[in-house]
Amino acid sequence: MDLAAFHAVAKLLPHAVLVADASGRILAANPATRRTVDTLRPGEDLLSLVTDPEAVAGRLAQWLRSGAPLPGVMTARDGEGRPVRLRCHGARATWWTGPSPAVQVHLSRLDVSDRFVALSQRLSLMNQQMAYRRAIAEQRDRLLRAETEARARMQRLYRLTAALASSGDLTEVCDAVHKSAPQALDAAGVTLELHPRRIVPSLAATDTLPVSTTASWTDLDRPHAGPPAPPPAGPARRVPLEAEGVVLGSLVIHDGPGAGQDADHTTAIAQLIAQAVRRAGLFEHEHRLAVRLQRSLLPRLPEVPGLDIAGCYAPGTHMVHVGGDWYDVHPLGPQTVGLTIGDVAGHGIAEATAMAQISTVLRSISRRHGDRPPAVMAELNDFLGTYHEGLMATACYATYDRAARTLRYTRAGHPPPLLIREDGTTEYLMAGLAPPLGPVPFDRYPEAEVAVPPGATLVFYTDGLIERRGESLDVGLDRLARTAAAAPGLDALGTGELLLDRQPDTDVPDDRALLIVRFPPGP
């Protein structure tokens, strides 16, 4: 407690109270002190104001050693030099926090009344009040520090939880742990030791395991895969990571010097990390399953003499549902081949089912109307509207006459095919456009015809190759055309790989399917 608190308490007392240090210098006095003896003011030397300074100095020494009030008598001179007899009760001021000890003295004039008992009680009560206030202040400070530390810990835990929740695959989860867990645990650093075979259920014996691309986790299933990064300095603790009864590995905590250990807090964080690791493993499993199912639905393309044909497919980066992209080749006769590509809107079982049925139905339709693209589209639109009400698809169907070197095509809401000439120039086939398949009955599909230059390459693709969120479709088309300018000299498969690899990433990835046809050079 300081002098401000003393004045707040002592100013209401009817009797004189002063505080002095061991040398007799008056540190503080309440208003009643000046009314009792007007010379007793803060800053004055008490020993110079009394008639018996040696006796008073002895009493000051006694009072500084006393925990309870001790009585005494002193004579002080007032402002006119007249002696004033005072009864006093003094004791060490236990509430005082100054650099040197102080004594608290209660005074009363002997010529007014003798209040020995009352002064003693008041002195004890005031000391108790001062001590109580000091204890309350210290307790408040402790509670404030504890609350501040708890709030900071909760913020660090929230950052870790948010980082884990936003992580998709196993590498992202491990990176989030490596960056955010040390702060949440008040540790110098952490590492992860994991069993990938337990985390990602295998679909086949040939499945590859996730590989650590950073030094933030150690592969326990492949101990010789490479030396782990050197751990941070300090003692290490291993906490098991267990989810659904499966031990996925360990969280290795490297404590810093003097770090405390909260077992419950550490266990809670380990459980959060284990759940995130388990979730990432299941996500990886579903992703692989979806990709495998999607690829199984795509056809094995037949070989067509004189044409180099390749199909390419790339799933969305974070896809966990099968999509509706398809492509196919339809041999129609000695000189004619049908080419088709399409995309059922959306992702899921319904879209994948529709895609598989469309691919099958198209093979039947192409045998009857394959050399007439508008008739193929009209019958396919009728099928989709009848058996898959509510679904929508875009498609492009084309026929190539090898003898005449001409291509006839129809587009139902689908992006235009890209023709790449032998000299690297490109052209989009923009004609033959009609509404998408499915939403409304429609049978008046247009047809366009174009001569195919010798040695050219034709690229059919789905919109995932060119569309990016917040970007104009023209930008995507221009980017694809500039990339395709480097395709001459590549075979069909090489062209597909070129176009897939050089497209920028996106936050909302979509499936990308391509059908590439490289035509023979001139005679």
Side-chain angles (χ1 to χ4, degrees), residues 16-17 29-42 109:
V17 183
N30 69 343
T33 303
R34 178 168 292 188
R35 294 194 299 269
T36 303
V37 181
D38 57 358
T39 57
L40 300 180
R41 296 188 297 269
R109 294 176 64 126

Side-chain angles (χ1 to χ4, degrees), residues 370-444:
D371 59 348
R372 292 182 294 137
V376 172
M377 283 297 185
E379 189 165 340
L380 187 59
N381 183 59
D382 180 67
F383 167 78
L384 197 63
T386 301
Y387 295 101
H388 295 281
E389 185 177 359
L391 289 182
M392 183 184 74
T394 66
C396 179
Y397 182 85
T399 61
Y400 176 66
D401 187 327
R402 289 187 290 174
R405 290 182 177 268
T406 58
L407 183 81
R408 291 184 295 146
Y409 64 94
T410 295
R411 295 189 295 132
H414 202 78
L418 178 62
L419 183 66
I420 309 171
R421 298 184 180 88
E422 204 170 19
D423 60 359
T425 58
T426 59
E427 176 188 356
Y428 282 107
L429 307 184
M430 305 295 293
L433 182 61
L437 302 170
V440 295
F442 190 80
D443 57 7
R444 298 187 303 277

Side-chain angles (χ1 to χ4, degrees), residues 160-216:
L160 172 61
T161 303
L164 292 175
S166 62
S167 301
D169 58 26
L170 185 59
T171 298
E172 291 179 356
V173 169
C174 294
D175 288 343
V177 171
H178 185 67
K179 294 175 182 177
S180 301
Q183 292 81 10
L185 290 163
D186 296 324
V190 300
T191 54
L192 287 170
E193 298 175 347
L194 301 176
H195 292 281
R197 294 184 185 276
R198 302 177 188 177
I199 295 171
V200 182
S202 177
L203 295 174
T206 57
D207 276 353
T208 58
L209 294 172
V211 177
S212 173
T213 58
T214 68
S216 59

Side-chain angles (χ1 to χ4, degrees), residues 62-63 66-72 88-92 103-106 116-127:
Q62 285 183 317
W63 290 337
S66 174
L70 296 177
C88 48
H89 297 80
R92 180 168 181 162
V103 63
Q104 179 177 300
V105 185
H106 291 236
F116 172 77
V117 176
L119 287 176
S120 298
Q121 292 175 344
R122 287 171 181 169
L123 180 60
S124 299
L125 179 60
M126 187 172 181
N127 270 330

Side-chain angles (χ1 to χ4, degrees), residues 277-297:
V277 170
R278 179 63 171 169
R279 184 174 63 250
L282 294 177
F283 182 91
E284 176 72 17
H285 174 70
E286 292 177 2
H287 174 76
R288 295 182 179 197
L289 183 62
V291 171
R292 181 165 296 189
L293 177 58
Q294 179 73 55
R295 294 188 185 281
S296 70
L297 295 174

Side-chain angles (χ1 to χ4, degrees), residues 3 36 39 100 123 189 195 235 328 362 412 445 449:
L3 291 178
T36 303
T39 57
S100 60
L123 180 60
H195 292 281
D328 206 352
L362 261 175
Y445 287 91
E449 183 174 328

Side-chain angles (χ1 to χ4, degrees), residues 51 112 126 132 168 207 342 350 446:
T51 58
V112 176
M126 187 172 181
Y132 178 72
D207 276 353

